[in-house]
C-alpha cells in the first residue's frame, strides 16, 4: 500500500515528538480508553476492521483479536514506528495515512471502523463521517471514543512534557455530543449506543470519555 505523504501539521509534529514516550507517560485518558474498548466491542466479530488513528497500537491487538483482518492507519510516522515495534498479530497491516484524504479501502467493504481519541484534533467532522459512511458495509459499525466535552469545557486537552521540560499542548477542537450524532445522521449512520465513562480513580468527577457506537 502506498502511504500518503506525512501530514505537515502541528498535530502530526506533536505526535511525532510524543511517540517515544506516549505509552510510558501517566495518561488516565489513554488508559481508560483501552479499558472501555473491550467492554463496548467485545461482542463484535467483524471480518474486516479499519482502525483510524491507531497511534502506537495500544488498541490494535484487541481489535485484531475480534477481527479476521485489520488495517490500522495513522498519519504520524513516529507513532507508527512504535506500533510496528510491537508484536502484533499476523492479521494486522499498518499504513501511514492522513484521514482527511480519501481512505485506502473500497466502498462498503468494512465491517467495523474504530476511532479513539482522534476526532478532537479534527476541526470539521464531516469529511471523517463521509468517508466512514462510504466504506462501511450495510449493517456495519462505527466506534468513536473521545475526550468528553465536559473535559474540554474545563480546558483539558492532549498534552505532554517534552524532553526540554516544556509542556506541549496538541491542537484540539471542542465537539459537543450533538456534533457527533448530527454529523453521523447527516450521512445516514445511525446511533446505536452512547455511553459516558469515568475513571475508577476519579470518584465524583464528571465523565472523562464519551463513546458512540454507530451503525450503517
Amino acid at each position: 500500500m502506498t502511504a500518503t505523504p506525512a501530514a505537515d501539521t502541528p498535530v502530526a509534529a506533536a505526535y511525532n515528538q510524543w511517540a517515544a514516550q506516549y505509552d510510558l507517560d501517566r495518561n488516565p485518558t489513554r488508559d481508560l480508553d483501552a479499558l472501555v474498548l473491550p467492554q463496548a466491542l467485545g461482542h463484535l466479530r467483524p471480518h474486516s476492521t479499519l482502525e483510524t488513528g491507531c497511534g502506537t497500537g495500544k488498541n490494535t491487538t484487541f481489535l485484531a483479536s475480534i477481527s479476521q483482518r485489520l488495517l490500522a492507519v495513522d498519519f504520524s510516522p513516529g507513532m507508527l514506528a512504535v506500533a510496528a515495534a510491537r508484536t502484533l498479530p499476523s492479521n494486522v497491516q499498518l499504513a501511514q495515512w492522513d484521514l482527511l484524504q480519501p481512505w485506502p479501502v473500497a466502498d462498503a467493504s468494512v465491517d467495523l471502523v474504530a476511532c479513539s481519541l482522534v476526532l478532537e484534533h479534527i476541526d470539521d467532522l464531516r469529511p471523517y463521517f463521509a468517508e466512514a459512511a462510504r466504506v462501511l458495509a450495510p449493517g456495519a459499525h462505527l466506534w468513536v471514543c473521545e475526550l468528553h466535552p465536559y473535559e474540554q469545557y474545563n480546558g483539558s486537552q492532549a498534552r505532554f512534557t517534552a524532553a526540554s521540560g516544556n509542556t506541549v499542548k496538541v491542537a484540539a477542537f471542542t465537539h459537543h455530543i450533538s456534533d457527533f450524532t448530527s454529523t453521523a445522521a447527516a450521512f445516514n449512520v445511525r446511533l446505536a449506543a452512547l455511553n459516558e465513562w469515568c475513571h475508577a480513580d476519579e470518584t465524583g468527577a464528571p465523565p472523562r470519555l464519551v463513546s458512540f457506537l454507530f451503525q450503517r
Side-chain angles (χ1 to χ4, degrees):
M1 178 179 297
T2 301
T4 56
D8 184 18
T9 69
V11 174
Y15 274 102
N16 284 332
Q17 187 179 0
W18 196 0
Q21 66 194 71
Y22 183 84
D23 290 332
L24 305 176
D25 288 347
R26 181 182 181 278
N27 189 332
T29 300
R30 173 204 62 206
D31 296 344
L32 180 59
D33 175 67
L35 291 173
V36 162
L37 192 67
Q39 293 182 53
L41 301 187
H43 65 290
L44 297 180
R45 294 295 180 270
H47 180 272
S48 176
T49 295
L50 174 64
E51 184 182 10
T52 56
C54 66
T56 62
K58 66 180 180 65
N59 291 330
T60 305
T61 297
F62 166 73
L63 290 170
S65 75
I66 64 170
S67 309
Q68 293 188 37
R69 184 174 70 248
L70 171 65
L71 173 61
V73 304
D74 201 278
F75 72 166
S76 164
M79 299 292 272
L80 280 172
V82 176
R86 294 176 182 265
T87 303
L88 294 172
S90 60
N91 62 333
V92 175
Q93 179 183 5
L94 296 174
Q96 183 184 321
W97 207 268
D98 182 350
L99 295 176
L100 296 182
Q101 302 296 321
W103 297 355
V105 292
D107 295 359
S109 64
V110 175
D111 303 305
L112 172 64
V113 173
C115 178
S116 291
L117 307 179
V118 170
L119 297 185
E120 65 184 292
H121 303 305
I122 296 177
D123 185 14
D124 184 356
L125 297 176
R126 289 173 296 178
Y128 181 92
F129 278 92
E131 278 298 280
R134 178 184 68 79
V135 306
L136 288 171
H141 291 90
L142 166 63
W143 165 258
V144 173
C145 188
E146 291 292 324
L147 187 67
H148 200 290
Y150 289 162
E151 292 280 318
Q152 293 186 304
Y153 301 155
N154 290 324
S156 180
Q157 69 185 98
R159 68 186 71 196
F160 64 97
T161 302
S164 63
N166 294 326
T167 298
V168 178
K169 294 183 179 181
V170 186
F173 304 91
T174 299
H175 299 301
H176 312 299
I177 288 175
S178 60
D179 292 335
F180 293 102
T181 56
S182 62
T183 306
F187 292 98
N188 298 315
V189 180
R190 67 175 183 85
L191 179 65
L194 186 157
N195 287 286
E196 298 168 301
W197 307 87
C198 298
H199 197 282
D201 296 337
E202 297 172 337
T203 304
R208 178 175 284 272
L209 295 177
V210 60
S211 68
F212 308 84
L213 185 62
F214 298 103
Q215 191 166 20
R216 189 74 167 109

